[in-house]
Amino acid sequence: MARVGVFVCFCGANIADYVDVPQVVEEVKRIKEVKYAVEYKYMCSDPGQGLIRDAIVQNKLTSIVVAACSPRMHEKTFRKALSDAGMNPYLLEVANIREHSSWVHQKDKKAATEKAMDLCRMAVAKSIANEQLHEISVPVTKRALVIGGGIAGIQAALDIADARIPVVLVEKSPSIGGKMAQLDETFPTLDCAQCILTPKMVDVASHPYIELIPYAEVLELQGFVGNYKVKIKKKASYVNFKTCTGCGACWQKCPVKVPNEYNMGIDKRKAIYTPFPQAVPNKPVIDAEHCTMLTKGKCGICKKVCLPGAIDYEMQDEIIEREVGAVVVATGYDMWDPTPYEEYGVGRFKDIITSLEFERMVSANGPTNGVPQRPSDGKVPKNVVFIKCVGSRDEAKGIEYCSKICCMYTTKHTILLHHKVHDSHAYVFYMDIRAAGKGYEEFVKKAQVDTGTTYLRGRVSKIYKKGDKLMVRGEDAQIGQVVEVEADLVVLATAVSAPKDNPELARLLGISYDKYGYLSEAHPKLRPVETAKAGIFLAGCTQAPKDIPETVSQASACAAKVCGLFAGDTMKKDPMVSTINNEYCSGCQNCVKVCPYGAIVTDEVPIGHGSKELRTVAKINEGVCQGCGSCVAICRSMAINLAGFTDPQIINEIVSI
Amino acid sequence: MKKLTYFPGCSAHGTSEEFDSTLKLVLKTLDVVLEDIPDWNCCGATSAHVMTENLAYALPMRNLVLAEKLENTTMGIACASCYQRMKVTKVHMDENPELAKRINTTVVEEGTYQGKVDVKSMLQYFYEDIGVETIREKVTKSLAGLKVACYYGCLLTRPKNITNFDSPEYPVSMDQICEALGATATEFDYKTECCGASFSISNTEVVLNLSGQILAMAKESGAHAIVVACPLCQSNLDMRQPDIEKQQGIKYDIPVFYITQLMALAFGNPIDQLKFPKHIVPVEGALANIGKVSPVPEKVKKPIKAVEAESEVK
Ligand SMILES: Cc1cc2nc3c(=O)[nH]c(=O)nc-3n(C[C@H](O)[C@H](O)[C@H](O)COP(=O)(O)OP(=O)(O)OC[C@H]3O[C@@H](n4cnc5c(N)ncnc54)[C@H](O)[C@@H]3O)c2cc1C
Ligand code: SF4
Ligand code: SF4
């Protein structure tokens, strides 16, 4: 007869405050198969696990029920405790009395306790029918896909490739580098972004283990951890990168001018262009939307001037496939569009710019040669007002969250302004100064002293024009008065927002995203770089706004995760997969249609013993099967068995309550 | 011929009589017939909504219910405060049928509120239902030469989720109508600042300060006159102007027109019907600019930031 042990956890106060744990223990003791039941404060702790190990040995238990938090949290922990005591780990059942009872029924302790008892009874009943199961080994494709080539994608790709694991890096734009390539100097140490970034970009291009696919998008991802197949669209660049030498004759001669994205539209680029001189790869692409040859069939100049004959107006988009075992998503962020701030006159006043526009202006390689200018008349501004939290922390017009980086980069901007225009004066309107980070507060303090910037605590309520100046009216909460500052230039520290295409990307990858469009991590504290889908990881701002140090740390963490995943030649997988009993299978193939993972194919078997005639049956690839159970439910012949969730187990559960 | 349900409100018969009478001239040209709400009552502004919720909703609701007895689907309101009370009530009742039912128990005799009639300010009616182009076509005497600062005040476009019309911060509908009349609308950043509203009576200092800033900015923008669509704005900016001038020691001399006065003028109505003598600040100086079109176009400085793509390909 079965000998079940039940271990009920207090989870500190999480469970014990709302569920009467001792009473649950008393109740389960009344089930005849339960030979041992006990409560403990933290079952997941080492003494808690020791309790389980000892009880298994001393009481000769045959299955274990742990009534605690969600199995997503600690199932692995408790399975290991079973193994350590010499028991098959799959003889464990977890009754989730925290998420499913104490947390959701906090107002009614009696009901929560009763529900916890029911959950325990079900788990005990199920565990009696548990069978010994063994992990499955599946082969792994040791190649990683990195989506997005900002500093996050670059760092992740380099770290993985340095471990001699091949990487496919897919970047949407013509060059890698992301936003960091647009920055001048970087807080908190003021080293030049280009100087620390471009060597890494070059390393990516020349790394023997990295395949860089620029100007491309991921279209489809199929398969499962260790064995994904990815479809990538290489957008037509109309330039043959193999023959192009990067001489630049084409873009010098191209007559079409288009606002230059790299410089935030402050100057123009040509229809055939490299985004910036240090671009990687340093080859031009033709912007099909603006090239008059492609839109109207007129021009063709670049082809005429290109000596190696690299221009090809007939080039088409190309779809390629790669097999990878893991994916790192590093699609970065967008800048929030401040148009809703109509009271600031955004869009009407030319001398209101965003922080990234300011960043381009003060950049040595920027459109104004590193000296800020007023867009209206090209004059060098003397009085500059910086407004923080534009769009951030604003439920009415923008987004609720704090964008995290603006306090720091605005401080940086006051320093850069001071460096470039010595007789300038900066004013910063702020709600708080959030400078948490190594050396950050010191950086802010020093900047305040060195630059003599006037910090005004309060929101700006209005900007209006007076002559050629902008009058910035806001509250100075420290003196409790409305103040007006006369500005030559106003810089808005606009919020960081999630990339617009993130929801679509998340859908095609099968991962989740939050209400803002940021991709969701599996656990905010303990699994911050993993997604809920095995083998897909997150790096950089695509998960939440963050600065470069944090982005790089997360990227390296992703690389460590990928390397860990690829440590063996095969990968261990839970044995909760479906199998088909050929004798019952009628070959209707309904299961093939419902399987969301494409794990079921058909097979031919003899119609009877020794017969030569064949009939069709379904066959499940256990490597692909994720144990969702859809096939079990659809099979009218009851030919499918899902290990760990067999009919006897489920029926036992139902009968127990 | 178009028909429009009309809620005149109390000021149409008093302080803003010139708004009401020129509105009627304008609508005659536009071939719109007004049908007054039979037995209409006070909208409740500005006291009811600070006193009791029930009264604040019940007074406008009675008008809305009575308006449903006419065939028209839109109610036009000249006074911005009346418009505000009526529109707030309509939106809240439509959003919350439970509340509507409760308030309706006060307005029993008139019938059940159904939410059939839309509420628009006259400015919104001109802009959305008549259209700037139609207005342009009706102009027989262009106002070219006249520079105006269009002042909307706080109620015509706010709050956005109630009015659902134009921009709450930088509206342009009145500017476009004035331009259709031939006038030039100046770039006026104070078009939605507060004029001080009914503090005019209880705390005049506030109005002198706030309306004073509006006058200063209108002058700064280069306007000869201010145009409004709200009786309270008009009276604060016009009637209080001499006091403001005295206090600030600045002579503004900037008349404050109702939009309908300028429309009626541009539609060719004789000047003696436009009630200009009712104004405190004389209008003649401003009107003298009509016809004086400055021959030199204003110099446009070349910005370093150009956003549209351009091609040199011929
Ligand atoms: C004005 C300003 C100043 C700043 N200054 C500093 C500073 O001084 N110090 C500091 O530490 N941080 C600073 N930051 C923050 C810094 O920019 C970010 O921390 C960093 O760029 C984040 O890198 P990322 O790779 O996550 O994102 P990104 O730089 O946005 O890179 C994302 C990349 O992914 C690509 N991509 C997007 N979608 C797809 C897709 N679907 N498929 C393929 N590719 C895709 C993009 O084209 C891009 O190349 C500043 C930010 C701003 C706005
Ligand atoms: S001219 Fe030809 S070789 Fe030179 S950069 Fe252009 S495409 Fe490349
Ligand atoms: S063909 Fe297109 S890209 Fe080439 S020069 Fe002409 S416009 Fe520029």
Side-chain angles (χ1 to χ4, degrees), chain A residues 189-228:
Chain A
T189 45
L190 291 188
D191 29 12
C192 128
Q194 291 282 343
C195 317
I196 54 178
L197 176 68
T198 40
K200 280 187 190 283
M201 291 165 61
V202 175
D203 286 351
V204 166
S206 59
H207 203 296
Y209 281 87
I210 299 180
E211 180 190 7
L212 173 59
I213 309 183
Y215 215 40
E217 288 164 24
V218 171
L219 290 185
E220 196 183 290
L221 183 81
Q222 275 189 342
F224 55 98
V225 52
N227 292 277
Y228 287 116

Side-chain angles (χ1 to χ4, degrees), chain A residues 80-234:
Chain A
K80 179 150 184 310
L82 266 62
S83 301
D84 291 348
M87 192 176 194
N88 183 289
Y90 296 96
L91 296 172
L92 170 80
E93 276 308 313
V94 175
N96 180 359
I97 61 169
R98 192 178 75 176
E99 283 83 346
H100 286 179
S101 188
S102 71
W103 277 0
V104 286
H105 302 296
Q106 299 193 347
K107 293 208 177 87
D108 190 346
K109 188 163 179 176
K110 188 159 169 281
T113 305
E114 271 166 24
K115 185 169 176 184
M117 288 174 184
D118 270 340
L119 292 168
C120 288
R121 274 187 216 106
M122 287 165 68
V124 168
K126 186 181 176 209
S127 82
I128 292 168
N130 275 19
E131 289 163 355
Q132 300 206 359
L133 301 172
H134 301 279
E135 275 184 337
I136 299 171
S137 291
V138 275
V140 197
T141 311
K142 290 193 189 178
R143 185 182 296 113
L145 169 70
V146 176
I147 308 175
I151 182 60
I154 290 175
Q155 187 67 40
L158 286 174
D159 286 353
I160 298 170
D162 284 347
R164 302 193 184 177
I165 294 169
V167 176
V168 180
L169 174 56
V170 175
E171 165 58 47
K172 186 168 73 171
S173 67
S175 170
I176 55 172
K179 299 277 190 311
M180 190 174 165
Q182 290 176 285
L183 305 182
D184 182 39
E185 290 166 359
T186 52
F187 66 76
T189 45
L190 291 188
D191 29 12
C192 128
Q194 291 282 343
C195 317
I196 54 178
L197 176 68
T198 40
K200 280 187 190 283
M201 291 165 61
V202 175
D203 286 351
V204 166
S206 59
H207 203 296
Y209 281 87
I210 299 180
E211 180 190 7
L212 173 59
I213 309 183
Y215 215 40
E217 288 164 24
V218 171
L219 290 185
E220 196 183 290
L221 183 81
Q222 275 189 342
F224 55 98
V225 52
N227 292 277
Y228 287 116
K229 263 202 193 79
V230 56
K231 268 201 188 120
I232 300 162
K233 180 169 99 181
K234 284 170 86 172

Side-chain angles (χ1 to χ4, degrees), chain A residues 22 121 130 143 173 181 200 237 300 314 332 341 355 377-378 380 391 394 430 459 476 505 544 580 583 630 646:
Chain A
R121 274 187 216 106
N130 275 19
R143 185 182 296 113
S173 67
K200 280 187 190 283
S237 63
E314 308 296 316
Y341 278 77
S355 48
D377 53 15
V380 176
D394 182 350
Y430 70 103
R459 292 292 277 181
D476 181 347
L505 181 69
I580 297 207
E583 282 174 29
S630 304
T646 58

Side-chain angles (χ1 to χ4, degrees), chain A residues 250-251 253-256 270-273 285-287 290-295 298-303 305 311 313, chain B residues 313:
Chain A
C250 51
W251 70 77
K253 290 288 184 288
C254 171
V256 177
K270 299 296 182 66
I272 185 165
Y273 71 109
V285 299
I286 297 184
D287 163 359
H290 294 105
C291 164
T292 50
M293 187 67 198
L294 294 171
T295 51
K298 281 188 203 156
C299 184
I301 292 175
C302 54
K303 187 168 184 153
V305 299
I311 309 283
Y313 299 123
Chain B
V313 184

Side-chain angles (χ1 to χ4, degrees), chain A residues 336-337 339-344 391 394-399, chain B residues 168-169:
Chain A
W336 186 78
D337 174 5
T339 311
Y341 278 77
E342 284 179 325
E343 66 271 36
Y344 292 4
D394 182 350
E395 286 162 46
K397 292 202 161 143
I399 339 182
Chain B
E169 298 291 349

Side-chain angles (χ1 to χ4, degrees), chain A residues 46 82 220 253 286 290 329 352 434 486 507 548 558 628:
Chain A
D46 194 49
L82 266 62
E220 196 183 290
K253 290 288 184 288
I286 297 184
H290 294 105
V329 192
I352 298 184
R434 297 189 167 172
E486 195 181 86
R507 269 192 292 274
I548 298 166
C558 278
C628 73

Side-chain angles (χ1 to χ4, degrees), chain A residues 126 644-655:
Chain A
K126 186 181 176 209
F645 297 88
T646 58
D647 287 352
Q649 286 177 297
I650 305 286
I651 288 164
N652 274 6
E653 281 190 287
I654 296 168
V655 171

